[in-house]
Amino acid sequence: MRAGYVAIIGLPNVGKSTLLNRLLKVKLSIVSRKPQTTRRQIIGILTEGDAQAVFVDTPGVIVPKYEVHSLMMKAIRQALAGADIVLWLADVDTAASGDELVKKLLPHGTRLFAINKIDRAADKNALLPKIEHYQRMGFDEVFLVSALRGDGLDELKRAILARLPEGTFFFPEDQLTEHPERFFVGELIREQIFNAYGEEIPYASFVTVEEFKEREMGKYYIRAIVYVEKDSQKGIIIGRDGAALKRLGTKARKAIEVFLEHEVFLDLWVKVKQNWRRRRDLLGQIDAGNV
Ligand code: GDP
Ligand code: MG
């Protein structure tokens, strides 16, 4: 089995969200003509056969003209450090404008470069020097794609899956392909945990959505579990007479209702599970990009 993280990096508007949606065949990430419409870092999971790629879209981490805020820079470096594969994406018309940034942030590990929007290029032969250019810059492979039309994406996907490191899956096989909303519901609950508590609890917790179904009266019934590592953490989340958990549940429910545009009954539980380290590393990676 192979599994790993793939960070999609690039200037705003080059088509990162479009590519992610297209690779996953599901709309996860907001696509817009305006740069930086994606508010949070999105992960999408692609499981095919014995390989699982966890994609991280990195919205707004790179601003044009290299006026890169140090915090953003830190976040993007962290995202890069946590990635097994870095996929740099550029717009065929403006590729060169990202070169300085590529040099600054050229990651270690597997580096792929994709030139997007080739549907706009009248003369495909003119793209050959660009391919050579990025190969010389140190990328392992360079692809020509159109995220919008799907050109070149099978080849890109095959290369990504083949280059993932050996390891067990991070997520259940069916997650995100069938129930993308489950992941976001978990993220919205986790976000509330981050808002409510200091350092320790958020990093020691992980949320799973166990059940998600529509009830007769039209409300969604969602049962979720917040896993923590210690009894003491469980006590803090639940609070006196369950008051803290109730507050957390209400805030999370409201956020979920806004996201799903639907009424929700949220059944929220807290359980202790030791050795969530692997998961905790995962949380760290996700949060690193939330700028
Ligand atoms: P992001 O900011 O990098 O996430 O870029 P988006 O995915 O939001 O896309 C920005 C704009 O580029 C949108 O209007 C997309 O429809 C457009 N776009 C993305 N991929 C392609 C492509 O392959 N060809 C063309 N012509 N437009 C594309
Ligand atoms: Mg985007």
Side-chain angles (χ1 to χ4, degrees):
M1 275 176 142
R2 287 190 309 280
Y5 278 83
V6 184
I8 304 180
I9 308 278
L11 291 174
N13 235 20
V14 296
K16 299 182 293 297
S17 300
T18 307
L19 179 74
L20 185 62
N21 292 339
R22 188 83 191 206
L23 284 172
L24 298 170
K25 298 192 179 71
V26 56
K27 190 176 160 84
L28 289 177
S29 202
I30 301 160
V31 178
S32 158
R33 260 172 238 283
K34 290 191 204 126
Q36 293 165 44
T37 37
T38 325
R39 292 246 170 73
R40 65 175 68 216
Q41 192 174 34
I42 302 290
I43 75 166
I45 303 158
L46 177 72
T47 306
E48 261 188 33
D50 63 353
Q52 182 173 75
V54 182
F55 286 94
V56 186
D57 183 7
T58 54
V61 277
I62 302 173
V63 296
K65 295 179 187 156
Y66 321 123
E67 292 158 0
V68 183
H69 192 278
S70 67
L71 192 73
M72 291 176 166
M73 212 58 179
K74 195 175 154 214
I76 196 170
R77 280 190 207 283
Q78 276 172 345
L80 290 176
D84 299 296
I85 297 175
V86 174
L87 173 61
W88 195 282
L89 197 67
D91 183 320
V92 68
D93 296 323
T94 59
S97 64
D99 281 5
E100 280 306 308
L101 215 48
V102 174
K103 280 181 204 151
K104 255 194 208 163
L105 293 170
L106 195 65
H108 303 289
T110 301
R111 309 145 166 176
L112 305 178
F113 197 98
I115 301 172
N116 189 30
K117 309 193 187 182
I118 55 155
D119 52 286
R120 286 211 193 129
D123 178 13
K124 300 275 188 297
N125 285 330
L127 298 173
L128 292 175
K130 283 196 171 136
I131 295 178
E132 282 162 20
H133 172 70
Y134 290 108
Q135 281 169 339
R136 274 199 304 276
M137 278 179 97
F139 286 91
D140 298 303
E141 263 184 275
V142 182
F143 300 85
L144 297 175
V145 300
S146 167
L148 202 62
R149 285 212 209 146
D151 303 350
L153 294 190
D154 280 342
E155 204 189 328
L156 176 63
K157 190 170 78 178
R158 272 201 300 277
I160 290 168
L161 293 176
R163 286 169 178 275
L164 291 169
E166 281 185 23
T168 49
F169 289 177
F170 291 95
F171 295 93
E173 273 178 53
D174 68 342
Q175 195 160 341
L176 271 196
T177 47
E178 282 175 25
H179 301 292
E181 68 277 13
R182 281 192 182 208
F183 168 75
F184 288 98
V185 165
E187 283 294 280
L188 290 167
I189 296 169
R190 225 167 54 76
E191 188 171 50
Q192 294 306 325
I193 298 172
F194 266 89
N195 290 343
Y197 301 99
E199 287 281 297
E200 184 194 340
I201 302 252
Y203 287 100
S205 59
F206 189 78
V207 178
T208 63
V209 176
E210 302 289 316
E211 241 184 292
F212 189 128
K213 61 186 179 197
E214 189 160 6
R215 284 201 165 155
E216 274 168 44
M217 290 307 287
K219 263 193 191 185
Y220 289 154
Y221 169 80
I222 297 173
R223 188 163 56 86
I225 303 174
V226 179
Y227 285 104
V228 287
E229 290 188 321
K230 297 179 202 161
D231 281 325
S232 60
Q233 295 162 344
K234 180 177 169 178
I236 293 170
I237 292 196
I238 292 174
R240 186 179 295 226
D241 300 324
L245 182 61
K246 201 170 169 198
R247 268 198 308 276
L248 179 70
T250 303
K251 284 187 178 157
R253 175 181 55 76
K254 285 181 180 161
I256 294 165
E257 286 178 338
V258 168
F259 174 72
L260 296 173
E261 296 178 332
H262 207 282
E263 268 192 294
V264 163
F265 179 87
L266 180 63
D267 196 5
L268 193 59
W269 297 80
V270 186
K271 290 187 182 176
V272 176
K273 193 159 190 163
Q274 261 106 34
N275 292 325
W276 266 119
R277 286 235 161 241
R278 186 87 170 126
R279 299 290 181 180
R280 210 158 68 171
D281 292 344
L282 172 72
L283 290 178
Q285 288 185 13
I286 293 167
D287 292 308
N290 283 345
V291 282

